[in-house]
Amino acid sequence: MKFLTFLTIVIGYFVYLTYKPYLLDIAIASLMAVAFGKVSVIIGKKINNKYLLSITVTLLFAVLIFGPILYFVITAGKFISHINIENVKQIILKAQNLLQYFPDFVANRLHEYINPDNIAQIYNTIAPIVGTLTAKSAVFVKDAFLIVVFFFFATLYGKEILGFLKKIIPLENHQLEKLFFGTSEVMSVVFYSTVLTAILEGVLFGIIASFYGFNFFFFTIMYAFSSLIPVVGGIIMWGPVSLYLYSVGNTTGAVVVALYSIVVISIIADTFIKPMIIEFVKNTFDADTELDSLLIFFSIVAGLSSFGLWGIIIGPAVTAMFISILRFYEKI
């Protein structure tokens, strides 16, 4: 028995070294498969073949998650390639006029950066960042492909994996199921409520943006992603749009976009409609999550800072599982 334990540890170590570069992708795919568990059950009522079911759910996952990202990357690439430096200078000159409304110490500091003469310096600063993003985009495509592949197998063999875990984990079946399904419920509520809220806010901003001649789908997707950034996500989008409208002489449009984004999106949608969306998701998936909304918020922030965009799933999932384990200790 000691030899078997030693052999397991040694082989496990080499397995870890072998799959170390893919552990994060496997973890994300597994967590996403858990989050899509309810969807698999619903679609499974119509599709009996497990291979066809896994392919269908995987395609749905790929289109829902990576479709908008692919569209954004292609459209953003076209936009960046057609940037006119003279237009940028015009926007910066208009932005300088707004500095008079700021306190002197803030205005003086901002004036050092908001200066048409510094266009070359700003470009030289941004160029390496764009290069880094381009390099990381290739890594992202690779990770996305691997996540989709791992997601397919996690969906295909999910029941078998859960059954195996029941046999090897020293917990009673009802305890393990409560731990697993409790974590799954929290992940589902957080994931779907976050996605639906981001889509709602993105569409709302896309409507006002299209009213002033901007691409509806592009700005919808951009705002949806930026809204995932806590606190400052919205202003990252409506601030530059308002500034652009102001620079071309449409002061009314700049004020309307700013007020619309603050009142309709930040206050009404995010403060009042978002809790309704969370409640709708909980009722739809019959989830009875006990994870406080404030704790979910901080878990998302921590996840974003540690794992990037995927932290939206990993942060709440790890937090929910940790709290579930702590509650087991209360009963022991």
Side-chain angles (χ1 to χ4, degrees), residues 12-26:
Y13 174 72
F14 282 102
V15 169
Y16 166 75
L17 292 179
T18 303
Y19 291 96
K20 183 180 178 180
Y22 310 107
L23 289 180
L24 182 60
D25 295 337
I26 293 173

Side-chain angles (χ1 to χ4, degrees), residues 6-324:
F6 172 76
L7 185 62
T8 303
I9 293 174
V10 172
I11 294 178
Y13 174 72
F14 282 102
V15 169
Y16 166 75
L17 292 179
T18 303
Y19 291 96
K20 183 180 178 180
Y22 310 107
L23 289 180
L24 182 60
D25 295 337
I26 293 173
I28 293 171
S30 301
L31 292 173
M32 293 302 298
V34 173
F36 272 73
K38 294 281 187 179
V39 176
S40 298
V41 172
I42 295 173
I43 298 179
K45 296 177 180 179
K46 303 292 183 180
I47 303 176
N48 295 324
N49 188 293
K50 73 173 186 176
Y51 294 98
L52 184 58
L53 172 63
S54 298
I55 292 173
T56 303
V57 175
T58 301
L59 288 176
L60 177 64
F61 164 72
V63 171
L64 178 64
I65 302 300
F66 300 115
I69 296 177
L70 182 61
Y71 173 82
F72 167 76
V73 170
I74 294 174
T75 308
K78 293 179 180 178
F79 173 78
I80 293 174
S81 64
H82 291 84
I83 289 180
N84 190 322
I85 297 298
E86 294 302 320
N87 291 338
V88 176
K89 289 184 178 180
Q90 182 69 21
I91 294 174
I92 291 177
L93 286 172
K94 288 289 185 178
Q96 286 182 326
N97 297 333
L98 298 176
L99 295 180
Q100 59 182 313
Y101 301 106
F102 289 85
D104 291 339
F105 71 95
V106 176
N108 293 334
R109 189 65 178 173
L110 290 176
H111 191 273
E112 296 178 7
Y113 298 97
I114 305 177
N115 192 327
D117 297 331
N118 294 336
I119 290 291
Q121 183 180 352
I122 294 174
Y123 177 80
N124 292 332
T125 303
I126 295 177
I129 299 176
V130 174
T132 302
L133 292 176
T134 303
K136 288 190 175 182
S137 65
V139 176
F140 177 82
V141 171
K142 181 206 71 173
D143 289 339
F145 173 77
L146 291 174
I147 289 170
V148 170
V149 172
F150 293 139
F151 177 89
F152 169 76
F153 286 107
T155 305
L156 182 62
Y157 298 110
K159 292 182 179 179
E160 289 82 354
I161 294 173
L162 181 60
F164 176 75
L165 292 177
K166 286 182 178 180
K167 295 178 181 178
I168 64 173
I169 294 179
L171 289 175
E172 296 181 8
N173 284 345
H174 73 278
Q175 290 179 322
L176 183 61
E177 288 178 358
K178 186 175 181 180
L179 176 64
F180 176 80
F181 290 111
T183 305
S184 175
E185 285 181 357
V186 172
M187 288 173 54
S188 298
V189 171
V190 172
F191 175 73
Y192 291 110
S193 60
T194 301
V195 169
L196 291 176
T197 302
I199 292 174
L200 171 65
E201 295 182 1
V203 169
L204 289 174
F205 187 78
I207 291 173
I208 192 67
S210 64
F211 182 79
Y212 289 101
F214 297 100
N215 187 310
F216 171 79
F217 292 104
F218 180 67
F219 280 86
T220 294
I221 293 173
M222 283 188 66
Y223 196 97
F225 281 116
S226 67
S227 68
L228 300 177
I229 304 173
V231 184
V232 298
I235 196 173
I236 292 175
M237 281 303 305
W238 65 258
V241 172
S242 295
L243 181 60
Y244 172 77
L245 291 174
Y246 175 76
S247 70
V248 297
N250 191 348
T251 305
T252 303
V255 174
V256 169
V257 169
L259 291 177
Y260 174 90
S261 301
I262 295 172
V263 176
V264 176
I265 301 178
S266 298
I267 296 178
I268 297 178
D270 199 56
T271 306
F272 297 104
I273 299 180
K274 184 176 181 178
M276 298 170 60
I277 292 175
I278 294 175
E279 195 63 30
F280 169 76
V281 173
K282 288 171 64 176
N283 294 333
T284 301
F285 292 96
D286 195 23
D288 187 24
T289 176
E290 300 176 4
L291 199 59
D292 184 75
S293 58
L294 185 61
L295 185 58
I296 292 176
F297 169 77
F298 283 115
S299 66
I300 291 176
V301 173
L304 285 171
S305 62
S306 300
F307 300 101
L309 184 62
W310 297 111
I312 296 172
I313 296 298
I314 298 177
V318 172
T319 304
M321 184 171 293
F322 179 69
I323 291 176
S324 299

